[in-house]
Structures are given as structure tokens and as C-alpha cells.
Amino acid sequence: MYWNKTIETMDRPRLMQLQLERLRETVRRVYANVPAYRERMDEAGLAPDCIASLADVNKLPFTDKTDLRDNYPYGLFAVPQGDIVRIHASSGTTGKPIVAGYTKNDLDVWSEVVARCLGCANVGAGDTVQVAYGYGLFTGGLGLHYGAERVGSTVIPISAGNTSRQLMLMEDLGATAVACTPSYALMIGEMLRDASFDLGRLKLKVGIFGAEPWTEGMRDRIEGLLNIKALDIYGLTETIGPGVAMECMEGRYGLHVWEDHFLFEILDPDSGEPLPEGEQGELCITSITKEGMPIIRYRTHDLTRVIPEPCVCGRTHRRIHRLRGRTDDMLIIRGVNVFPSQVEAAIVGIDGIAPRYMLVVDRVNSMDVLEVQVELTPDIAISEVRRLEELHSRVNRAIDQTLGLSVKLRIMEPGSIERYEGKSKRVIDNRISV
Ligand code: DLL
């Protein structure tokens, strides 16, 4: 279901022409209004009208998290403070947060792109959307909220947490869609299963899950537990929040990036050079309509690749593969690169093992040791020794095959790995603190 058919199905030459016009305008605007961008461009010998074609985007200097931190809080804003009507922020891991500012028009664009995402999930007027992303400085709650209002659905702005209340309202208010992190969806689903809840009492059809990496296996699991279709939504505070890209119900593979607002490149994470189409690399995003805090060539650190083939849904905006993880989440263990999502892919679907895990890294006698903690499902008693041994070797084999690395496996009792209502923490790296 399209929200904005004209734009969503615009032919590519016209779309690219629109991108070029908007890119040129954005570059002129940041040159005129943001000293940090102007200095960078001057250093690189770039004039404000240096963009003649879309390919010229790669002349522009990159922006990274450190630039946002160095210009904290308002240094990268391109409009007077009086034109900023909303602030959001993402906490990050250390120090000051990343702050983003929105003009009235930015909020309008944001609702528009989220509305398109909801259209991708066939959510519209007549639907009831339970927004269980956190509300506040985090962009998830309010981002989905205004998008859902824009399409005319009824919004339940419940925010994350208080799972039993979530379930009561989900049933009583007849929610047809839920938006939250995949971790929280799993938690809700498991709670229903443990309570032997009759899913027939819910009207839920679809889930809009993002804000953290998740796998196809996790999708199957959540779809089974909640009897819904689960779709992936992507975005980040620096570019707008949720709504940069979204999977559609028809294609269900790859996320359409709303290219009339976001120009994207896939780069070699080390060299920063563009990669051949279809190769996995780091997603780099330039916002081409943002007014409050436009962002030029932002190094997201998120890893993905373009899916060049057109989608069956008819949308012309190109798709990216589900995000694999972040370059900065990648662990290097004895020379082998490990992403937490690989562990998820290995263990999810193994009978008796919950799709929940934690990676603990230590350095023992100057050797990196990776401990993978997984959890039994409640139906398996810790005393079933034979079953446990079988599971131990099965999980070990699956992890070994996926990671190409032997790990220390710890199978834990049900409920021992922490559950998250927002983004999950998957790694404890003790090498950093020692
Ligand atoms: O997580 C915005 C958001 C809210 C997206 C709700 C989707 C749904 P930040 O807190 O700034 O913003 O975190 C952005 O989260 O760079 C990715 O590393 C990760 N991320 C977001 N969506 C996905 C996804 C929000 N679908 C960072 N798959 C990004 C994988 C995701 N990672």
C-alpha cells in the first residue's frame, strides 16, 4: 500500500534529477550557514556550487560522530535557534550525546517518510498502532507516533516497558500493529507463550521493528510467537530518526531508502572509497532536504549492501540489505572478525535454545577468549544432562561453522540473560577496561 505513490514510484531519471537539485541546494546552504562545513570545504578547495552531478557527492568531506561531538550541541545547525522546534538526542556510549534539531518542515518530512514506511507495512487509516519504542529524546517513539498519525491510524503512545500492561492494552484496544525493537517484540512474544495466551484474542497483523540489528531467524521466531508479519525499519538520529529505510510487505527483503530525502553511498569502511554495486560496506548518508541539521556524507558505521534488482512492489527507491551490524560493534578475536548478529544467526532456531545471547570477551594470558552465553528455553530442565550435552555440542558446532572460531560456550538457565525493552546490549568486552 503506497502512502505517496507519485514519489514512491517515480521513475529513476526523475528521482535522480530531484536528488541532484536537492543536493546542490543543501551544499549551498551548509556552506552559507554552517562554519564547520564551510571550513572543511574551503580546505578541500570546494566552492558552494561544486556539485555538477550526483557522482560529485564524493568530492565532499565526510562527517563522523566526532564532528557532531566537536560541534556539540548546536554547532552543525543551519538555521537560527528560533526556527528549531524540536530536539532529539541519542545517548551513544561515551560522553556527550549526539544532538539533532528539527525545523517545522523537518518534522513534516519526518512524518512523511515514516508514513511511507507504514504504507510499506500496509498500515493506514483504520489501523491501531501500539508505539512501544521509547518516547523522549530517543527518536523511535515520537518518530513512529507522528508517522502513524499522518496515515490516519489510531496511535497508542504507550512507550517501552511494563510488558503486562502492554499486553492488556494490545488486546483491549485492538492494536493491529506494534512498533518496537525486535528484542522487545521477542520479550512480548515469549511472555504470551509462557502464559499460554490465546493469540486469537489479539488483532495484531504486523510489527515494525528496528533500532538494532536482527536476523532472518529472529524474524521467523517473532512472527511465530506473535502470529504477525515482521518488517524491518532503519534510521538514525543524525539523519532524522526512524524512517530512512523500510522493508515492504511485498518484497520483504531489503529496505527501500527514501532517496528523495536521503542520498546514500556504500563505502569501503577502511579507505572510504565507493564500492562496486552490490558489495557489502559502510552506509554513508547525505540528507538532501533537512533544514535544521543537514548532514553531509555521514559515516553511519552500519554495514549493508545495495540490492540492485527492482522490487516487486513497484517502488523505485533502491533497497539496502538488512543491516548486519556496525563496524564499531565488530570484535576481532584472535584475528577473526565477529559480529554479534552472526551468533544470533547461528543459534536462533535451535530447539531448546532461546534466541538470546551475550558475548563476553576477555584477554587471558594475552590471548583473546570469546565466551558466548546462551540460554535454555523454559521447557528444558537444567538437570536433563544428556539433552544438555547434545545441545552443547550442537550450539558449539553452529557457532563454530558461522564464526570460523571456537568459543567458550556457556549454556545458562532460562531467564539468566538480561532482557531489553529498547536496544539490546550484546557484548561485554573486558579487554577495553583492562
Ligand atoms: O535507533 C532510530 C530508530 C528508531 C530506527 C526506531 C528504527 C526504529 P539511534 O538511536 O540514533 O536511532 O541509533 C541509530 O541504530 O546507526 C544502527 O546502528 C542502529 N539501527 C537502527 N535501525 C536499525 C535496523 C535509532 N533496522 C543506530 N537494523 C544505527 C540494524 C539499526 N541496526
Side-chain angles (χ1 to χ4, degrees):
M1 182 163 100
Y2 302 120
W3 167 249
N4 186 339
K5 186 171 183 198
T6 315
I7 298 280
E8 290 173 53
T9 61
M10 185 178 251
D11 62 61
R12 290 217 48 94
R14 274 183 60 212
L15 182 55
M16 288 163 79
Q17 182 56 35
L18 185 65
Q19 285 185 305
L20 178 60
E21 285 159 21
R22 291 178 167 180
L23 174 65
R24 298 187 70 169
E25 165 56 25
T26 300
V27 171
R28 273 192 224 114
R29 213 148 27 81
V30 297
Y31 189 90
N33 300 330
V34 186
Y37 281 123
R38 182 163 57 241
E39 280 161 27
R40 289 281 190 84
M41 286 177 63
D42 285 344
E43 274 167 27
L46 295 169
D49 60 353
C50 62
I51 302 290
S53 70
L54 278 179
D56 285 344
V57 71
N58 70 19
K59 291 184 188 165
L60 297 168
F62 291 124
T63 310
D64 209 334
K65 240 185 196 39
T66 49
D67 298 304
L68 286 146
R69 297 234 157 88
D70 293 347
N71 289 285
Y72 175 85
Y74 296 146
L76 293 183
F77 286 18
V79 296
Q81 191 69 36
D83 293 342
I84 297 288
V85 296
R86 174 105 63 83
I87 296 285
H88 279 282
S90 76
S91 47
T93 39
T94 49
K96 302 276 191 191
I98 299 295
V99 172
Y102 302 70
T103 63
K104 268 210 171 92
N105 191 57
D106 292 336
L107 292 183
D108 191 54
V109 167
W110 191 12
S111 298
E112 156 74 22
V113 288
V114 175
R116 289 185 205 168
C117 295
L118 292 166
C120 281
N122 291 343
V123 170
D127 278 296
T128 300
V129 183
Q130 183 147 338
V131 180
Y133 284 113
Y135 277 65
L137 285 173
F138 177 56
T139 52
L142 288 170
L144 266 296
H145 181 104
Y146 286 107
E149 280 191 1
R150 176 66 58 94
V151 298
S153 44
T154 308
V155 183
I156 309 173
I158 188 163
S159 196
N162 201 341
T163 312
S164 39
R165 194 154 161 269
Q166 296 269 359
L167 292 174
M168 179 185 77
L169 291 182
M170 193 176 270
E171 179 180 2
D172 294 352
L173 305 179
T176 55
V178 61
C180 61
T181 60
S183 308
Y184 196 40
L186 178 71
M187 190 162 142
I188 295 175
E190 286 181 342
M191 201 154 154
L192 290 174
R193 181 202 54 201
D194 296 347
S196 306
F197 185 91
D198 169 17
L199 288 175
R201 282 158 54 186
L202 296 181
K203 290 200 178 136
L204 215 54
K205 310 178 293 196
V206 65
I208 296 141
F209 304 133
E212 60 180 2
W214 52 309
T215 57
E216 283 300 318
M218 183 68 92
R219 184 197 325 251
D220 292 344
R221 192 72 169 220
I222 295 171
E223 289 190 337
L225 283 168
L226 289 171
N227 190 24
I228 56 170
K229 295 277 182 236
L231 298 175
D232 196 359
I233 185 167
Y234 171 79
L236 58 163
T237 314
E238 296 88 326
T239 56
I240 208 157
V244 171
M246 172 80 192
E247 279 181 339
C248 61
M249 197 63 102
E250 299 84 353
R252 276 177 51 91
Y253 169 64
L255 296 85
H256 293 276
V257 179
W258 304 122
E259 292 183 89
D260 54 324
H261 296 288
F262 307 102
L263 194 68
F264 73 91
E265 304 164 78
I266 307 284
L267 307 175
D268 178 324
D270 299 320
S271 70
E273 290 301 317
L275 287 172
E277 188 165 82
E279 271 187 35
Q280 177 175 281
E282 179 182 345
L283 183 66
C284 176
I285 301 179
T286 300
S287 68
I288 51 175
T289 52
K290 278 278 287 299
E291 294 177 345
M293 197 183 84
I295 197 130
I296 305 288
R297 299 196 84 199
Y298 187 64
R299 302 284 300 253
T300 65
H301 292 273
D302 291 320
L303 290 169
T304 185
R305 56 187 165 78
V306 177
I307 302 172
E309 298 81 36
C311 185
V312 289
C313 72
R315 291 181 181 84
T316 49
H317 297 238
R318 281 176 308 164
R319 287 170 297 162
I320 52 171
H321 194 264
R322 103 185 355 272
L323 288 292
R324 179 171 198 203
R326 300 178 51 81
T327 51
D328 33 17
D329 281 350
M330 186 183 80
L331 296 165
I332 303 180
I333 308 290
R334 304 195 294 274
V336 179
N337 298 349
V338 175
F339 287 97
S341 62
Q342 288 177 289
V343 172
E344 181 173 306
I347 63 158
V348 89
I350 298 184
D351 234 11
I353 296 293
R356 194 162 273 124
Y357 56 98
M358 181 65 90
L359 279 62
V360 184
V361 195
D362 275 295
R363 187 158 286 156
V364 181
N365 299 332
S366 57
M367 264 278 270
D368 294 335
V369 178
L370 172 62
E371 176 177 286
V372 176
Q373 300 178 345
V374 299
E375 205 183 275
L376 292 172
T377 49
D379 51 312
I380 304 217
I382 201 104
S383 54
E384 285 179 60
V385 177
R386 157 84 45 75
R387 187 77 205 279
L388 269 179
E389 279 170 1
E390 268 167 30
L391 271 175
H392 202 279
S393 52
R394 229 188 120 186
V395 176
N396 237 334
R397 237 187 354 259
I399 292 180
D400 200 346
Q401 276 165 10
T402 316
L403 266 53
L405 183 80
S406 55
V407 303
K408 194 169 137 197
L409 177 67
R410 212 167 133 205
I411 296 190
M412 306 177 48
E413 280 184 63
S416 19
I417 296 178
E418 191 167 348
R419 272 114 177 98
Y420 292 89
E421 292 159 355
K423 294 175 194 265
S424 281
K425 183 172 160 62
R426 310 276 196 202
V427 177
I428 300 172
D429 195 339
N430 294 322
R431 294 175 304 180
I432 294 164
S433 50
V434 284

